[in-house]
Amino acid sequence: MMGIDGIMARISELQNQLGIVPAATATATSATGKTGGTAFAAALADATGTDTGTTRTGATGDDVVAAAKKYLGTKYVFGSTDPANGLDCSALVQRAYGDLGVDLPRNSWQQAKVGTPVDGLANAKAGDILAFGSPVHHVAIYLGDNKMIAAPKPGDHVKIESVYEKPTHIRRVLGTEAAAGTFGTAAVARPAALQQSGDLAGVPYANLFMQAGAKYGVSPKLLAAVAKVESGYNPKAVSPVGAQGLMQLMPSTARGLGVQNAFDPAQAIDGGAKLLAHNLKEFKSLPLAIAAYNAGGGAVHKYGGIPPYAETQAYVPKVQKALAALGG
């Protein structure tokens, strides 16, 4: 008989399969709050494509452990992938690997199939994924010395604990052939231009930048550069004028882009990529697209170039410098 954890895991699978993202209904403004005079909702709908491929990474198992430890104390919330609200067990694993540029599937039973199998806990290494149950209903990240880090159950929080029972699966992701390939069942090849952009090794949220870049046809390095200048890669950042999250989206901008939670890095990066894709298409100029991200497209049209705002005049070269530092 399937226990409660198994039932909850199955519910999560069904929720993921049936989830609906509300369509954007509001007119967006610029990321930093100045109104852009161009209505671009229809143009944004032209951006299509997905990418579930895993990026190459030079990360190690110890890096996975370090990434997971950043979430110690985060409360357990079933079905949540946003650390600001809470995480469940598979979201913790997905998030820790994702912060290093490795894209894992969402559910615990899927994570129990990635990478290569490890024969027994005695051969496990730091960073390996431990899966429990048949069917799998729980996952954790191995630390070594019979310890693991996990989001255990409702009412609890992300913590380090002993490996309390024999794992049914142990999977090694980093340093394997699969780590450089694709997880999941519906991989989409990256456009050649994005293949040339590099992997952003060591950049926080690298996999999210790669995915959003492939989805909207924007350089992942440009997205990372904008995030660096906007928030210093801080997903909880709030500006004096109310811009929020990693990509510093104003609430009205976020709504127009279909972003429900600007503090969720995945949603924020997706929204920022959507906005930059529109700006690049409209202005056909990288500096002007960057300026429009800061001041709004209406201001760029009004002045026929980078607006004479001190903030925007300084912002454009800052992003270009950050982009150059990433090799863009």
Side-chain angles (χ1 to χ4, degrees):
M1 179 180 295
M2 183 181 296
I4 184 64
D5 286 337
I7 295 171
M8 292 173 70
R10 180 56 181 158
I11 292 173
S12 179
E13 295 166 26
L14 295 173
Q15 287 175 329
N16 289 337
Q17 293 169 6
L18 299 175
I20 298 174
V21 178
T25 58
T27 300
T29 58
S30 74
T32 52
K34 301 181 182 71
T35 301
T38 305
F40 57 86
L44 294 178
D46 292 335
T48 58
T50 57
D51 183 358
T52 59
T54 299
T55 62
R56 290 183 180 274
T57 175
T60 67
D62 289 334
D63 293 327
V64 175
V65 171
K69 285 182 176 180
K70 293 188 302 183
Y71 302 106
L72 283 170
T74 301
K75 64 182 179 180
Y76 179 101
V77 175
F78 175 67
S80 175
T81 60
D82 180 3
N85 298 325
L87 297 170
D88 61 19
C89 64
S90 55
L92 170 66
V93 174
Q94 185 185 50
R95 173 75 61 168
Y97 274 91
D99 287 352
L100 300 173
V102 179
D103 185 16
L104 295 187
R106 171 67 178 93
N107 293 312
S108 56
W109 65 269
Q110 295 170 316
Q111 293 172 2
K113 298 179 181 179
V114 301
T116 58
V118 175
D119 185 18
L121 198 62
N123 295 314
K125 295 181 179 180
D128 287 350
I129 297 173
L130 307 183
F132 300 89
S134 182
V136 172
H137 59 77
H138 184 55
V139 286
I141 295 173
Y142 190 56
L143 304 182
D145 297 325
N146 204 49
K147 298 290 184 181
M148 63 184 184
I149 182 169
K153 60 184 182 298
D156 213 331
H157 57 270
V158 176
K159 63 184 182 182
I160 294 173
E161 56 186 352
S162 297
V163 181
Y164 51 80
E165 66 180 68
K166 181 180 178 181
T168 52
H169 303 76
I170 304 175
R171 309 296 294 193
R172 181 162 301 150
V173 176
L174 298 179
T176 68
E177 190 73 20
T182 301
F183 298 122
T185 58
V188 178
R190 299 184 188 277
L194 294 178
Q195 292 175 349
Q196 297 169 3
S197 68
D199 283 338
L200 296 176
V203 174
Y205 308 105
N207 70 314
L208 298 180
F209 292 125
M210 295 294 290
Q211 289 174 3
K215 183 177 180 180
Y216 296 110
V218 178
S219 165
K221 292 184 179 180
L222 173 59
L223 299 178
V226 169
K228 172 67 174 178
V229 173
E230 289 285 356
S231 68
Y233 302 125
N234 178 7
K236 298 182 180 179
V238 179
S239 78
V241 296
Q244 300 175 342
L246 199 71
M247 304 301 286
Q248 288 292 277
L249 301 174
M250 292 294 290
S252 57
T253 305
R255 288 192 297 271
L257 295 166
V259 175
Q260 304 302 308
N261 180 6
F263 294 111
D264 176 12
Q267 293 186 48
I269 292 171
D270 187 89
K274 189 183 295 187
L275 180 56
L276 281 166
H278 168 75
N279 291 348
L280 288 164
K281 182 178 180 180
E282 181 172 353
F283 296 106
K284 298 178 175 59
S285 161
L286 179 59
L288 295 185
I290 295 171
Y293 191 94
N294 176 261
V300 174
H301 282 297
K302 177 180 178 180
Y303 292 102
I306 299 175
Y309 308 141
E311 177 185 322
T312 307
Q313 291 280 331
Y315 178 83
V316 173
K318 282 182 182 178
V319 173
Q320 290 177 313
K321 183 177 179 180
L323 179 59
L326 292 170

